[in-house]
Amino acid sequence: MSVWDDLVGQEPAVAVLKRAVAGAEAGMRGETGAAVAGMTHAWLITGPPGSGRSNAGRAFAAALQCHNQSCGECNECRTALSGAHPDVSLIRTELLSIRVSEVRELVRRAAMSPTQGRWQVMVVEDADRLTEQAADALLKSIEEPAPRTVWVLCAPTVEDVVPTIRSRCRLLVLRTPPAAAVAEMLTNKLGVDSELAGFAARAAQGHIGRARALARDEEVRDRRNKVLEVPFALRDLGACLKAAQQLVDAAKVEAKASAEKVDEKERAALEQALGVGTKGAKPREANAALKELEDQQKARAKRWERDVLDRSLVDLMALYRDVLVVQTTAGTELINAELRRDIEQFGGRTTPEQTIRRIDAIAACREAIEANVAPLLALEAMTVSLFEGRNDGPHVPRRVLR
């Protein structure tokens, strides 16, 4: 067992981080020069969604604290990976941005000496969501870090981080995990049937968390099936508008179901902390605190809706990608191999140029939603663009793995 075990298909990146840990060890022994060259005080880990950016940051933090070659089993490793280690700070957000107040608290902790571990490690899992003010608050600490303090920032791409921050970090780029590696992980670690594991690995397109969900949950597979039916159901303008509304409604239902699992617990915990419901006067700050929590929960629900919609759009883009592969006889593996017959029929009734325009329409929709365009308007424009120019009739695809 090792702290690196969850980094599926990231052998080159793991090798870099292992050299850095060795350099840190050498530096603590008082060595200089080439022995410590692999280590630096600030890192920026980038990679596509689901590639394991956060896992890499946590694993690196655990390896720096471990006394037994990144064993993954000692107390230092286990607490660092879980976020319970006193000298490993993990910051992530389920909201739309990381606020400056959160960063200032992190900077304050970064200035302290390690209490138990060998390093003070600050892992910012959503560095792309730093506001400008938050980035400004972080800059000086990264420029002039305290001794034995290491910053690890995670973001989808280097361009998602402000230039003043990224220019002061060592860049480590994770790749999209190969489908074979993901399938092997599902089979070996979760005991998933090989056929289902192969399907989940391809459908997830390198997203580890998504692959796990597809392999373990039939409802997740059913929701994906419904998304893939959209292109085949666009018969007229009314069908386009209906499809857009269905995508929005489905995203709201899924996001609400996820939110309800945590919202009630958060409110109950806050009310207990404030003494709401107990005898005596209600704390003066209770209403303000509860209102702030409600606002945060609404913002989180909005982000979750966006995430669900974006995942649906990625699945749609993959379907049209498969159509283009068939049309151009590219010879690469289909992501949706289970729908090969339907994809071939669809591709035979359209042209590669039309398919490319449709992929562009989906990409434009993703960008519009990210830029705060009303999701329904963005999706309506997309579905109309997907329908325009079609010369094929309605067709309902076969269901894929359930």
Side-chain angles (χ1 to χ4, degrees):
M1 185 175 178
S2 166
V3 298
W4 313 109
D5 286 350
D6 286 338
L7 296 179
V8 179
Q10 303 295 346
E11 291 79 9
V14 169
V16 171
L17 293 175
K18 284 182 176 179
R19 285 196 296 270
V21 172
E25 296 276 0
M28 295 188 69
R29 293 193 299 267
E31 299 179 33
T32 58
V36 300
M39 185 58 183
T40 187
H41 71 279
W43 295 76
L44 174 57
I45 301 177
T46 66
S51 58
R53 299 186 303 265
S54 297
N55 286 343
R58 290 169 183 251
F60 187 38
L64 288 171
Q65 305 293 5
C66 182
H67 295 270
N68 191 25
Q69 298 182 338
S70 312
C71 67
E73 298 179 348
C74 66
N75 183 65
E76 285 77 11
C77 285
R78 288 187 285 103
T79 55
L81 291 172
S82 68
H85 195 289
D87 296 320
V88 175
S89 300
L90 306 175
I91 182 169
R92 65 185 304 271
T93 183
E94 293 174 335
L95 305 180
L96 299 179
S97 61
I98 297 177
R99 296 170 296 181
V100 65
S101 58
E102 297 174 88
V103 172
R104 284 173 178 159
E105 172 60 22
L106 198 64
V107 168
R108 185 188 67 80
R109 294 203 300 269
M112 300 178 181
S113 298
T115 58
Q116 294 182 13
R118 299 182 293 176
W119 297 87
Q120 184 79 260
V121 188
M122 324 303 292
V123 182
V124 183
E125 297 186 4
D126 300 293
D128 54 309
R129 295 185 182 273
L130 289 166
T131 63
E132 288 189 17
Q133 294 84 356
D136 289 342
L138 180 62
L139 181 59
K140 184 173 179 58
S141 184
I142 289 182
E143 281 183 322
E144 302 173 7
R148 294 168 63 191
T149 292
V150 179
W151 286 91
V152 183
L153 312 183
C154 306
T157 70
V158 66
E159 289 79 14
D160 291 320
V161 180
V162 296
T164 51
I165 296 292
R166 69 191 190 218
S167 64
R168 290 162 174 80
C169 298
R170 179 176 177 182
L171 178 63
L172 180 67
V173 180
L174 303 186
R175 63 181 180 177
T176 300
V182 177
E184 182 180 1
M185 179 273 294
L186 294 174
T187 301
N188 295 341
K189 289 192 174 182
L190 304 181
V192 177
D193 171 80
S194 59
E195 182 182 1
L196 180 56
F199 158 76
R202 282 185 284 101
Q205 302 176 65
H207 193 300
I208 305 297
R210 176 70 167 160
R212 286 195 178 100
L214 286 166
R216 301 164 89 174
D217 194 334
E218 185 176 337
E219 289 187 7
V220 174
R221 298 195 291 272
D222 284 340
R223 286 196 293 266
R224 182 175 181 275
N225 289 340
K226 291 179 181 178
V227 171
L228 296 182
E229 290 173 0
V230 167
F232 302 97
L234 303 179
R235 300 179 295 273
D236 51 38
L237 180 59
C240 294
L241 301 181
K242 181 180 179 181
Q245 185 66 63
Q246 288 175 339
L247 287 171
V248 171
D249 292 343
K252 288 182 177 179
V253 169
E254 185 175 345
K256 182 179 179 181
S258 299
E260 286 177 347
K261 296 178 182 178
V262 295
D263 286 359
E264 188 175 344
K265 290 182 180 180
E266 288 178 343
R267 185 177 179 89
L270 180 59
E271 288 179 343
Q272 182 178 10
L274 293 171
V276 176
T278 59
K279 293 182 179 181
K282 187 176 181 179
R284 183 179 302 175
E285 67 276 10
N287 288 335
L290 290 171
K291 178 64 168 60
E292 182 180 3
L293 176 63
E294 290 175 1
D295 291 342
Q296 292 178 357
Q297 290 176 340
K298 288 179 182 178
R300 179 174 61 198
K302 181 179 179 181
R303 176 182 169 183
W304 284 357
E305 285 180 24
R306 283 185 181 182
D307 290 344
V308 173
L309 283 174
D310 192 67
R311 189 172 64 232
S312 298
L313 295 175
V314 169
D315 288 335
L316 283 176
M317 192 175 290
L319 182 67
Y320 282 106
R321 172 264 188 197
D322 286 346
V323 172
L324 190 62
V325 167
V326 169
Q327 289 174 328
T328 58
T329 63
T332 58
E333 183 182 20
L334 298 185
I335 293 172
N336 300 282
E338 294 77 16
L339 293 175
R340 174 176 288 276
R341 185 183 307 170
D342 303 290
I343 289 169
E344 289 175 346
Q345 292 176 1
F346 191 95
R349 293 190 294 265
T350 60
T351 66
E353 291 76 15
Q354 288 174 317
T355 303
I356 292 173
R357 286 197 295 271
R358 287 166 181 151
I359 292 174
D360 288 343
I362 298 172
C365 182
R366 294 181 69 190
E367 293 175 0
I369 292 175
E370 185 64 26
N372 286 323
V373 173
L376 182 59
L377 292 178
L379 287 164
E380 285 176 345
M382 180 198 74
T383 53
V384 170
S385 296
L386 297 181
F387 171 71
E388 285 178 350
R390 274 186 54 169
N391 52 19
D392 58 310
H395 172 66
V396 179
R398 296 175 294 112
R399 302 293 283 182
V400 298
L401 285 176
R402 299 176 63 83

